[in-house]
Amino acid sequence: MAATALPPLPPQFKSIQHHLRTAQELDKREPVVAYYCRLYAMQTGMKIDSKTPECRKFLSKLMDQLEAMKKQFGDNEAITQEIVGSAHVENYALKMFLYADNEDRAGQFHKNMIKSFYTASLLIDVLTVFGELSEENAQHRKYARWKAAYIHNCLKNGETPQPGPIGMEGESFDVEREEAGSSSVHSGGTTQPSSSTYEANNIPTSNFTGIHIPPGAHAPANTPAEVPHNTGDVRLTPEDFARAQKYCKYAGSALQYEDVSTAVQNLQKALKLLITGRE
């Protein structure tokens, strides 16, 4: 990890504090994800304010951290190739989401599962570094952030949360900061609240009944539809080959987490694309 310490976080960058906190937490066990969390924070910070002296100083130090990490992990394909990095971050986010979703559906409500929901939503934010979010990822982010706040509030108020997707039409969650005893990290002069703290203005309040959230991580995959045979008339474009390669990369990344279901689904998508020319 980079030795460069960050200066105090400017107030303008409040919205990226949790992404930086997540990067800190993942530095040792998931440095690739930590790198992209910082890259997201850097890109977002540049859009917010790149002119104010304190903001420029902060972004400069953050850039130093990114450059140091690039040198340290320069031989890692997930750092040098965005398509591999995207698959890596997406699969880790899904892993966090499915862990929390499993716990939620089993009625096991605790701080780790709340934090996993919220961290998953932050990592899906990070996926915007690679382009626009898929509809599925956008829904997962919205649901995960809402679930984290809902369960957090229930436990704080001594109530029992309802497991699984539920409709909360018109209800808003007044999410306060954790009690003073909650852990916070002081690094380089910057105090960053734990990722298990939630900002009320970021919590969606719409009805989630209609959103499809997949069952637990170990649920069997749906029986795949039969893939049509190639008639020999299909002409693939360079973009088709690039998309097929992307699905294969996703499958390879999923296998690193022993996530067979996700690997199979992505390989099926690649196969269908190569055979039919359609996704």
Side-chain angles (χ1 to χ4, degrees):
M1 217 332 264
T4 307
L6 293 176
L9 185 77
Q12 296 94 313
F13 292 162
K14 183 180 179 181
S15 64
I16 60 174
Q17 63 182 347
H18 296 302
H19 301 86
L20 291 171
R21 166 65 181 171
T22 299
Q24 266 189 323
E25 294 176 342
L26 296 177
D27 270 332
K28 291 185 178 179
R29 65 178 183 271
E30 279 292 336
V32 168
V33 181
Y35 171 82
Y36 283 111
C37 284
R38 288 188 173 91
L39 183 59
Y40 170 83
M42 179 74 191
Q43 292 183 356
T44 304
M46 290 287 289
K47 294 175 184 176
I48 295 172
D49 188 343
S50 62
K51 296 181 179 180
T52 304
E54 62 176 351
C55 291
R56 290 181 65 179
K57 180 180 178 181
F58 186 89
L59 292 172
S60 175
K61 294 297 184 182
L62 184 55
M63 177 65 79
D64 290 343
Q65 284 193 351
L66 285 166
E67 289 301 320
M69 292 187 79
K70 254 191 174 181
K71 289 181 182 178
Q72 184 177 355
F73 304 105
D75 58 346
N76 191 316
E77 199 177 29
I79 297 291
T80 59
Q81 296 187 34
E82 281 197 353
I83 194 169
V84 183
S86 175
H88 191 93
V89 175
E90 185 172 22
N91 279 299
Y92 192 76
L94 182 61
K95 181 181 177 183
M96 298 286 285
F97 179 92
L98 290 176
Y99 163 75
D101 191 49
N102 277 338
E103 293 292 278
D104 176 39
R105 290 170 187 265
Q108 301 295 322
F109 306 110
H110 49 83
K111 286 186 177 181
N112 281 342
M113 66 92 74
I114 295 173
K115 186 173 181 179
S116 292
F117 263 136
Y118 192 65
T119 301
S121 78
L122 296 176
L123 295 181
I124 296 175
D125 285 341
V126 173
L127 287 175
T128 60
V129 165
F130 307 103
E132 188 176 351
L133 291 181
S134 67
E135 179 62 26
E136 183 179 23
N137 280 335
Q139 289 187 354
H140 279 111
R141 176 175 66 179
K142 194 176 184 182
Y143 179 83
R145 197 161 291 176
W146 176 83
K147 258 292 181 178
Y150 166 65
I151 298 171
H152 169 79
N153 276 340
C154 284
L155 296 183
K156 185 175 182 179
N157 296 330
E159 302 169 359
T160 302
Q162 295 184 46
I166 54 176
M168 301 299 294
E169 185 70 45
E171 180 170 349
S172 61
F173 295 101
D174 181 17
V175 183
E176 300 175 0
R177 293 188 180 278
E178 294 282 355
E179 298 299 328
S182 293
S183 61
S184 61
V185 170
H186 184 80
S187 175
T190 304
T191 301
Q192 298 175 350
S194 165
S195 294
S196 57
T197 314
Y198 314 103
E199 299 298 332
N201 59 354
N202 288 331
I203 306 302
T205 59
S206 56
N207 191 320
F208 287 85
T209 306
I211 291 183
H212 171 69
I213 303 298
H218 305 294
N222 294 331
T223 304
E226 183 178 353
V227 179
H229 293 289
N230 193 331
T231 61
D233 298 327
V234 175
R235 294 188 178 183
L236 299 174
T237 66
E239 290 76 16
D240 291 331
F241 286 111
R243 286 199 297 272
Q245 183 186 37
K246 178 185 72 173
Y247 288 131
C248 291
K249 293 285 189 183
Y250 284 179
S253 182
L255 289 175
Q256 291 182 350
Y257 295 110
E258 301 180 1
D259 186 352
V260 176
S261 175
T262 300
V264 169
Q265 289 171 15
N266 280 288
L267 289 173
Q268 287 170 346
K269 289 179 181 178
L271 183 60
K272 180 181 178 182
L273 178 59
L274 293 172
I275 291 176
T276 68
R278 298 190 304 274
E279 292 189 72

